[in-house]
Amino acid sequence: MRTPCVCVTLSAALLLAAGCTRPDRGAPPDAAIDPMVSVNTLHPAPEDYARSRIGSAECPIPPWTKFLRGVKIVLDPGHGGDAHRRGFKRGPTGVREAEMNLRVAQYLRDLLVHVGAEVRLTRETDVDLSLAARAGVANEWGADIFISLHHNAVDNKPEVNYTSVWYHADVDHHPANLDLARYLAQGLYDGFPMPSFTDVPLKSDQLMYPAGFGVLSNARVTAALTESSFFSNPAEEQRLRNPAYSLREAHALFLALARYAVAGLPRVQLLEPTSAVVGPNGGLVRMRLDDGLRGRKSWGFARQMILTDSIVVRLDGRRIAHAFQNDGYLLEVELPAGLEPGTHTLDVRFQNMNKNSVLNPRIELRVENPPGPGQARRDGPGRRTAAQPAAGR
Ligand SMILES: [Zn+2]
């Protein structure tokens, strides 16, 4: 099987600022007569195509989608700026994956923004962007969720057409990635069903490369990559040109994200030390857990909605003891003495009652030697408080 589309290296770190215009590489192929270098391969649609259908029978907005309000989501339409590469990421008649990915991302953004989510796209036009730069949009913004949107292809098997969703590395790497991937996959089964099924649709990107996909390995936030269907399937390629079909896919992903949000997006916040700086003699670190549910004040909200035995804390990868207080959801760990000066990572994992794992589990602490006589300690309010996830930088 040909590798999924995401695996092609997008080595150009520079944007091709000219959008759809081909760079000058000698005599260019004639897009007027060669569909394999053409652009604008989708059926045209008005700019407000998705927005004008929100709330219609084809695009309902259930009340529970409200839990997406305030969730920070980066959508990454795969590829772009590649039309000059003859046949690159195209279906049998020349429909481009980059264009279908972008349209789905734009429609999905319209839906998410409608219910109050905060959304950024890694690209708005037909430009090339490095894999690291795509993930960097999510990292630098401090997004909650990063989704790279793709469609798949395989050589010499036109009948193949199924959904897969990819996570980085192994299942222990970042468990929330699996939550995201699972919700996305299930949403696609329901709202964007394919005629066939791969029996384990959640796939590790290390099946393709030892280091995984660059776009996922560079993401320091909860991330997944969708391969919703196969544009190498001739009938699917033609469907993917259709704006109604792109909207159906976007709507399926939208409801998937809403179901994820309904089930609660757990988080961890550092309370003490507020500066995230500790001395070499260790000391107490206090955190507050958020199950993503209690804050709704729904009936029964005061009951514990974190699975006690799911709480695991690691310091620099090694498990350390913790104390969890149900009242107030406080979590305490005692750092050992003798830590080397520099950055150390606390990895705080837990699951809420719906088995959703903490979105961004890592808290970075700096171990510093005590200031000498006359030196002020730089613990003032100007320092970053570790309430922000490490992923924000
Ligand atoms: Zn792709």
Side-chain angles (χ1 to χ4, degrees):
M1 177 182 284
R2 196 167 92 195
T3 54
C5 56
V6 72
C7 65
V8 169
T9 304
L10 298 176
S11 57
L14 298 175
L15 300 182
L16 296 179
C20 300
T21 305
R22 291 192 300 269
D24 183 10
R25 300 182 183 203
D30 188 345
I33 58 171
D34 184 353
M36 290 298 163
V37 292
S38 61
V39 295
N40 300 324
T41 61
L42 308 184
H43 294 312
E47 192 267 338
D48 68 345
Y49 183 90
R51 287 195 300 279
S52 66
R53 285 162 175 77
I54 288 176
S56 68
E58 66 183 298
C59 198
I61 307 293
W64 40 268
T65 57
K66 69 180 180 181
F67 295 111
L68 285 165
R69 175 171 293 278
V71 180
K72 297 169 72 172
I73 301 169
V74 170
L75 303 175
D76 171 44
H79 315 293
D82 44 28
H84 60 282
R85 299 172 64 181
R86 188 175 187 286
F88 179 75
K89 302 294 181 188
R90 291 176 187 267
T93 70
V95 180
R96 292 177 65 212
E97 188 202 340
E99 295 177 16
M100 56 183 87
N101 296 340
L102 179 57
R103 181 177 271 180
V104 170
Q106 290 169 330
Y107 290 179
L108 179 53
R109 172 175 57 188
D110 288 343
L111 292 162
L112 291 166
V113 167
H114 180 77
V115 296
E118 298 180 45
V119 182
R120 292 185 184 179
L121 265 56
T122 56
R123 65 178 177 96
E124 299 278 354
T125 55
D126 192 7
V127 293
D128 195 2
L129 193 59
S130 76
L131 300 177
R134 293 167 189 266
V137 173
N139 296 337
E140 287 153 25
W141 188 31
D144 298 309
I145 290 168
F146 174 77
I147 306 171
S148 193
L149 298 161
H150 290 254
H151 297 79
N152 216 337
V154 59
D155 285 339
N156 302 319
K157 292 185 178 178
E159 72 283 2
V160 168
N161 193 14
Y162 59 77
T163 294
S164 56
V165 181
W166 298 70
Y167 60 89
H168 179 56
D170 55 53
V171 292
D172 291 320
H173 171 71
H174 186 128
N177 290 348
L178 304 175
D179 300 331
L180 173 62
R182 186 178 66 250
Y183 280 104
L184 292 173
Q186 291 174 343
L188 289 167
Y189 312 152
D190 287 345
F192 192 70
M194 291 300 114
S196 56
F197 193 79
T198 182
D199 288 357
V200 181
L202 267 55
K203 304 289 189 192
S204 167
D205 61 358
Q206 290 183 330
L207 294 171
M208 306 301 305
Y209 297 102
F213 297 152
V215 74
L216 293 182
S217 64
N218 280 286
R220 297 196 299 273
V221 308
T222 294
L225 182 149
T226 55
E227 299 276 8
S228 297
S229 67
F230 277 71
F231 59 84
S232 51
N233 176 289
E236 183 70 11
E237 180 203 26
Q238 296 310 311
R239 285 189 287 269
L240 286 163
R241 304 178 73 186
N242 189 332
Y245 198 64
S246 298
L247 181 57
R248 185 189 301 178
E249 179 181 343
H251 188 257
L253 294 167
F254 166 68
L255 292 187
L257 286 166
R259 289 196 182 98
Y260 184 22
V262 171
L265 302 177
R267 300 167 197 270
V268 57
Q269 176 188 18
L270 180 66
L271 299 179
E272 296 176 24
T274 56
S275 60
V277 175
V278 297
N281 295 323
L284 189 69
V285 176
R286 300 178 79 231
M287 294 156 282
R288 175 167 287 128
L289 306 187
D290 175 4
D291 55 27
L293 298 166
R294 184 176 269 198
R296 298 175 189 174
K297 308 283 188 190
S298 187
W299 185 32
F301 74 91
R303 298 182 67 81
Q304 180 175 323
M305 292 187 277
I306 288 172
L307 300 180
T308 305
D309 287 347
S310 74
I311 303 171
V312 173
V313 183
R314 289 184 177 83
L315 174 65
D316 300 330
R318 298 183 64 177
R319 204 160 165 164
I320 62 171
H322 67 265
F324 175 60
Q325 300 173 27
N326 172 297
D327 184 25
Y329 273 9
L330 295 176
L331 184 72
E332 295 181 346
V333 298
E334 187 75 33
L335 295 184
L339 290 173
E340 291 291 322
T343 300
H344 296 261
T345 302
L346 270 185
D347 186 86
V348 180
R349 298 188 178 189
F350 63 94
Q351 292 179 324
N352 72 8
M353 66 188 292
N354 294 315
K355 310 291 181 68
N356 274 0
S357 291
V358 59
L359 273 183
N360 292 305
R362 283 176 282 280
I363 291 176
E364 290 189 355
L365 299 170
R366 273 201 69 74
V367 173
E368 293 182 0
N369 288 319
Q375 280 184 283
R377 189 158 183 149
R378 296 179 296 123
D379 284 3
R383 294 184 68 90
R384 182 184 78 92
T385 70
Q388 301 158 345
R393 290 168 295 135

